[in-house]
Amino acid sequence: MSLYLYQERVKELIQSGKSVILQAPTGAGKTRAALAPFIESFFDRPAEAFPRKCVYVVPMRVLAHQFVNEFSDYADHYRRIYRREIKVTIQTGDQPDDRRFEGDLIFCTIDQFLSSYLTMPYSLPSRLANLNAGAMTGAYLVFDEFHLLDPASTLPSTLYALKQLRRLAPTLLMTATFSREMLTTLAEELSAEVILLPQVEAQAIEMRNGASQPRQRIWHTAEMPLAAEAVLAAHQTRSLAICNTVKNAQALFRELGRLKQERGIGVDIWLLHSRFLPEDRHATEENLRRFFGKGADRDGSIIAVATQTIEVGVDITCETLHTELAPASAMIQRAGRCDLFPGEQGQVIVYPVESYMPYGKEKYDPDDDSPWVVEMKAALQWLQTHDGEAFDFEVEQALVNAVAAPRDQKILAELSAGRVRRADAIQRVLLGDREPNDSRLLVRDADSRLVLIHDDPDELLKNPLGAVGFNLPTITLYGMVKDWLEREADVEWRVMRLLEDKVLDRNEDNRMEYGWKHLENTQLLWTTRALVVNPDLAGYWLDEGFVADRGGSDFRSRLPPEVAARTWDGLSYRLESYEDHIRRVLQSFEEMVLPELRYPSSALERAAGWSVGSVMRAAWLICLFHDVGKLDKHWQAWARAYQQQIGRPVKANFAAAHTDSDSTNPIHKQAQETVKHRYRKPHHAGEGALATSLILRRALPEDSLLRATLTAMARHHTPFARECEAYELEPYAQEHIQATLKFVPNDVRQYLDLTKLRLQAKDP
């Protein structure tokens, strides 16, 4: 299928290296516009011409799930044509399939992107904190539904990241609802081109495929809050009701179910929100697409109740959309689920709210002057004056410009005022000096905790953070925990919080030991990452999801087989010589990593003023020298003693890079305990960097590149290492290193002079 005119404009700008901000209505093909330049370049252009990795960032998990399913099919199509594979992956909190961002086209949530870029990844243990930041460098970054980013945390941190990364690769921001002032300011901040889909072109897209008339949405305002009676009164065959909170959605679902049973109404009622298990939520989403999607089966009568999880991305349509009052951008997105497809007609009904949660205070307060609430009040007044009118893209933009401009002005002012403070906080975090509140400040203010349900929590201690449970906002949990602690119930225990103790391993790995402790004070919620609640107090049902106000369900949290088997702390190795290890690392680098580095390496050289080819040379040398510190005589003495203890001795001149090590093998565990009383296993990463520093100085004359290279080597096990220990390399160390030089290209080898190797450092 050929591209629309605006999609061609986006592709030309992106492929020329320019960043773009795109504003287009729901259903106009923004996602295709975003991915066309990447997919075309991936298959038709050399690796040096365009990034080989695309990170597609969305504000909500439901979007990531939809896109990865949709574009996996596209990837298969291109694979059959080009006989090459494009690896499509997903990385979200509930589906962490690409924890290390290794795919070619990665769909992830904004939390996963920011936490990874800021070296505090949600997807990896602390010992790998600096791993994912490199995946963003030189990647083509797409930010969809950009207007949904939290202005207090997510938005300013994302802008900080984009200002750094846009110098290395083009970026694309997409939205359907930004005020003109916000678009203009963002474009100036990011040196980006703005593409605003013209009304004429938008109408032409709506009339595609032979539609006789454009879609038409009639907007109405109600006088009373959203209730089951109103939904039933307006229902035809397909209705959708969107609530601002899970609590409201569950209450509406229950009331609809009660009225259905009392009156014998022939209608199916579905519920969808964030507190369903992934498999159940995906099943409901698929049913929605089946019965509410384009060309869907229209038999029967269905009312779907949902929260913001359905606000964007899910390609469904209904005759009547009921929505609680929300910010203008959110309501326009929700309206996109009504008469989504060309030629359809429907109505949108907006209901006043008794609480502004999650946009404002929990209780209705007429004096609440937070930016979101001010906008919501203005939006309701604007909609009341336009009651009964049909809205197209032009009218929707008029609504946004009329009510969102004051909020956008305040957001922009706060962004400017807080820029220095945020930059300082980010620099502090990147240096490894984290504070408890950093995640809320820099990633998302809506902090959350994992909630598990089990009557014997100790069964989950092998990897409690990997157990099946529910991520709930901490502020919401306060009320739940208070109820669990005070509710009348005959139970031995009520709520426990997870305790985590970090154990420093001499192999430079941080592993965790876990335990549970009774939670008796809600303030302690901030001190833990996970809770477990007694199943007599809370439960999970297929039709309602996680429910906090009653227990008695059969659901129990569990460790999935893959989580129980792999905790990220229990790694296993086989005995491997130093030469073999370096050969394998370099071979993997050449086959798996090098093609992806061609574009970002050149971009880094241009941005930093480094000589051509220097970044790729540095990458080869990091792989070549990263384990030189293991040639220390104390490290090798430990390795030989350990291999002797487990019954697999090595020769005196054998240099090990890895020993036989299986965290589940009791013989190996006992050997480690025995040997550590005679031999200390020293650190090696920083020591190897120091030992090869003079060699690297000749190969990498630019000071800043040399520092970056030494930092990468010193921190390849411990992400925030700042010092190294005394060391003394073995007499045969130089020979072992010499044997590995043949594995690097000649144009790298010519820079190496092993006489510059620092054989020891007594006081580093």
Side-chain angles (χ1 to χ4, degrees):
M1 185 193 304
S2 61
L3 297 176
Y4 300 135
L5 291 177
Y6 89 90
Q7 293 172 335
E8 286 285 358
R9 292 197 297 274
V10 171
K11 187 184 76 170
E12 291 170 2
L13 288 169
I14 292 294
Q15 288 184 336
S16 68
K18 296 181 180 178
S19 294
V20 172
I21 300 177
L22 170 63
Q23 183 153 327
T26 303
K30 292 193 296 294
T31 303
R32 192 157 184 262
L35 292 181
F38 173 73
I39 293 176
E40 180 182 288
S41 299
F42 188 91
F43 289 105
D44 289 340
R45 306 179 76 187
E48 297 83 358
F50 197 81
R52 305 289 288 190
K53 183 185 291 291
C54 173
V55 182
Y56 195 112
V57 186
V58 294
M60 304 172 73
R61 295 173 182 174
V62 63
L63 277 172
H65 293 300
Q66 174 180 318
F67 290 154
V68 76
N69 292 332
E70 179 180 349
F71 284 93
S72 291
D73 295 337
Y74 278 114
D76 288 341
H77 170 73
Y78 280 99
R79 178 179 54 80
R80 290 191 296 270
I81 295 176
Y82 291 91
R83 298 185 182 277
R84 287 174 52 206
E85 181 181 6
I86 180 171
K87 186 179 180 183
V88 182
T89 62
I90 184 171
Q91 178 57 37
T92 63
D94 65 336
Q95 193 171 341
D97 294 351
D98 194 0
R99 295 173 183 266
R100 301 177 190 236
F101 283 75
E102 296 173 307
D104 301 315
L105 172 56
I106 307 162
F107 294 97
C108 72
T109 52
I110 186 65
D111 305 58
Q112 296 288 333
F113 168 81
L114 278 179
S115 65
S116 291
Y117 178 73
L118 298 175
T119 65
M120 45 183 181
Y122 292 169
S123 60
L124 294 173
S126 57
R127 63 185 176 82
L128 301 176
N130 59 349
L131 186 65
N132 285 348
M136 316 303 171
T137 304
Y140 169 45
L141 302 176
V142 178
F143 289 83
D144 204 351
E145 309 296 352
F146 198 72
H147 60 278
L148 293 179
L149 300 187
D150 180 3
S153 57
T154 312
L155 177 60
S157 294
T158 301
L159 290 177
Y160 177 94
L162 286 174
K163 286 182 180 180
Q164 305 296 315
L165 297 172
R166 67 179 171 81
R167 302 170 61 199
L168 306 178
T171 61
L172 174 62
L173 277 59
M174 299 193 297
T175 178
T177 52
F178 259 157
S179 67
R180 293 189 189 92
E181 184 167 3
M182 180 66 83
L183 283 173
T184 301
T185 303
L186 288 177
E188 293 174 352
E189 290 269 338
L190 301 175
S191 301
E193 298 271 349
V194 174
I195 293 183
L196 179 60
L197 186 62
Q199 178 69 12
V200 173
E201 191 172 345
Q203 289 178 345
I205 292 173
E206 286 199 14
M207 299 295 288
R208 65 192 183 275
N209 300 328
S212 59
Q213 61 181 14
R215 63 188 178 186
Q216 187 178 58
R217 300 187 187 106
I218 307 298
W219 285 63
H220 298 282
T221 56
E223 295 183 359
M224 302 297 292
L226 178 58
E229 290 283 7
V231 175
L232 290 173
H235 179 64
Q236 300 177 51
T237 65
R238 296 292 184 274
S239 295
L240 179 60
I242 302 183
C243 301
N244 292 342
T245 65
V246 174
K247 181 179 179 181
N248 288 359
Q250 288 178 330
L252 179 60
F253 173 79
R254 292 173 185 175
E255 182 63 12
L256 284 168
R258 185 185 67 81
L259 293 177
K260 169 189 174 180
Q261 185 174 9
E262 286 182 358
R263 300 175 186 179
I265 302 173
V267 59
D268 291 332
I269 304 171
W270 298 345
L271 178 64
L272 182 64
H273 54 70
S274 59
R275 298 177 197 168
F276 280 96
L277 295 175
E279 59 269 25
D280 296 333
R281 185 170 65 250
H282 297 164
T284 300
E285 290 169 358
E286 286 304 312
N287 278 333
L288 283 169
R289 293 187 183 96
R290 178 183 173 190
F291 291 97
F292 286 73
K294 186 175 183 180
D297 182 351
R298 295 296 175 181
D299 290 340
S301 178
I302 306 171
I303 297 174
V305 180
T307 58
Q308 295 97 319
T309 57
I310 209 170
E311 192 170 289
V312 293
V314 182
D315 289 334
I316 61 174
T317 187
C318 63
E319 300 145 342
T320 304
L321 177 89
H322 306 266
T323 173
E324 292 188 317
L325 178 66
S329 59
M331 289 190 291
I332 291 172
Q333 289 291 344
R334 295 176 187 186
R337 313 281 79 80
C338 177
D339 72 283
L340 175 65
F341 305 116
E344 292 186 337
Q345 297 185 21
Q347 64 173 337
V348 177
I349 306 175
V350 179
Y351 296 81
V353 293
E354 297 177 339
S355 164
Y356 288 120
M357 287 291 288
Y359 307 103
K361 297 179 180 178
E362 187 170 0
K363 299 288 187 181
Y364 178 85
D365 182 353
D367 297 325
D368 190 345
D369 61 351
S370 61
W372 287 115
V373 174
V374 170
E375 179 187 327
M376 290 166 66
K377 293 177 180 178
L380 183 59
Q381 292 178 355
W382 193 94
L383 290 171
Q384 288 170 340
T385 63
H386 293 77
D387 189 85
E389 295 183 10
F391 287 16
D392 57 16
F393 183 47
E394 192 171 23
V395 178
E396 290 173 350
Q397 293 309 302
L399 167 61
V400 171
N401 288 323
V403 306
R407 174 181 56 83
D408 286 350
Q409 291 170 358
K410 186 170 183 178
I411 289 173
L412 292 171
E414 290 174 349
L415 287 175
S416 178
R419 185 169 296 157
V420 173
R421 172 173 166 265
R422 183 167 298 271
D424 289 344
I426 289 175
Q427 289 301 313
R428 174 176 49 74
V429 168
L430 293 176
L431 290 172
D433 185 16
R434 285 189 58 185
E435 295 180 357
N437 202 41
D438 283 336
S439 179
R440 297 184 66 203
L441 172 66
L442 301 176
V443 178
R444 190 186 291 272
D445 192 30
D447 201 12
S448 64
R449 297 292 183 267
L450 175 65
V451 178
L452 308 173
I453 302 175
H454 209 286
D455 36 21
D456 186 4
D458 287 349
E459 291 185 9
L460 306 174
L461 282 180
K462 185 172 184 180
N463 188 5
L465 296 174
V468 175
F470 311 92
N471 283 293
L472 303 182
T474 309
I475 191 170
T476 301
L477 267 177
Y478 270 112
M480 292 181 180
V481 171
K482 186 174 185 295
D483 173 62
W484 294 335
L485 294 177
E486 297 176 355
R487 189 190 311 167
E488 186 174 342
D490 184 16
V491 293
E492 292 185 7
W493 59 275
R494 293 175 177 266
V495 191
M496 296 189 192
R497 61 187 175 100
L498 181 67
L499 302 179
E500 301 177 75
D501 289 326
K502 188 177 294 185
V503 180
L504 181 63
D505 190 290
R506 294 308 301 175
N507 195 32
E508 299 173 323
D509 294 338
N510 292 323
R511 58 187 177 87
M512 305 300 298
E513 290 186 354
Y514 301 105
W516 298 106
K517 186 173 183 179
H518 290 282
L519 178 66
E520 298 175 350
N521 184 346
T522 55
Q523 293 302 316
L524 293 175
L525 280 174
W526 297 108
T527 68
T528 186
R529 290 198 287 170
L531 303 174
V532 60
V533 59
N534 192 304
D536 286 338
L537 299 175
Y540 179 85
W541 279 266
L542 284 176
D543 58 347
E544 285 195 55
F546 175 81
V547 174
D549 59 4
R550 72 182 192 276
S553 71
D554 294 331
F555 173 81
R556 299 294 183 273
S557 295
R558 58 183 175 81
L559 289 176
E562 67 275 12
V563 171
R566 184 190 65 197
T567 67
W568 294 97
D569 292 321
L571 300 177
S572 297
Y573 297 98
R574 288 186 177 183
L575 180 67
E576 187 178 35
S577 72
Y578 179 84
E579 291 89 338
D580 280 346
H581 176 62
I582 299 303
R583 175 180 60 81
R584 290 189 175 103
V585 168
L586 289 167
Q587 182 179 355
S588 297
F589 168 75
E590 185 172 16
E591 294 176 356
M592 301 170 60
V593 181
L594 191 146
E596 187 180 309
L597 286 185
R598 294 195 185 281
Y599 180 90
S601 64
S602 297
L604 276 170
E605 289 162 0
R606 290 192 298 271
W610 295 333
S611 56
V612 175
S614 59
V615 171
M616 196 67 77
R617 187 188 319 134
W620 278 104
L621 293 175
I622 290 169
C623 295
L624 177 67
F625 290 141
H626 76 283
D627 268 354
V628 163
K630 288 184 176 180
L631 297 175
D632 171 71
K633 68 178 185 180
H634 297 291
W635 202 99
Q636 292 298 321
W638 172 89
R640 291 165 190 147
Y642 171 80
Q643 287 295 135
Q644 180 75 32
Q645 190 67 32
I646 65 172
R648 295 197 62 195
V650 296
K651 295 180 180 179
N653 64 346
F654 179 87
H658 288 128
T659 58
D660 290 308
S661 177
D662 182 351
S663 60
T664 65
N665 188 323
I667 296 176
H668 292 183
K669 288 185 177 181
Q670 182 58 48
Q672 291 173 0
E673 289 297 316
T674 301
V675 171
K676 78 177 184 180
H677 295 299
R678 291 183 291 150
Y679 295 93
R680 186 180 72 87
K681 183 182 180 183
H683 294 173
H684 69 274
E687 294 70 23
L690 180 59
T692 57
S693 58
L694 297 179
I695 303 174
L696 293 170
R697 159 58 70 191
R698 180 174 181 271
L700 306 169
E702 292 97 348
D703 285 343
S704 54
L705 179 57
L706 176 63
R707 288 197 300 271
T709 301
L710 292 172
T711 300
M713 293 175 62
R715 294 181 172 180
H716 78 270
H717 278 295
T718 306
F720 305 110
R722 299 183 182 181
E723 57 187 23
C724 65
E725 302 176 336
Y727 68 88
E728 182 179 352
L729 299 186
E730 285 204 310
Y732 296 105
Q734 202 164 8
E735 295 179 18
H736 290 301
I737 298 172
Q738 182 69 45
T740 66
L741 299 189
K742 60 187 176 185
F743 303 132
V744 298
N746 289 332
D747 61 349
V748 175
R749 196 183 316 148
Q750 66 177 333
Y751 289 93
L752 305 182
D753 180 2
L754 294 191
T755 64
K756 300 294 185 181
L757 183 69
R758 298 183 61 169
L759 298 177
Q760 64 178 345
K762 295 183 178 180
D763 186 17

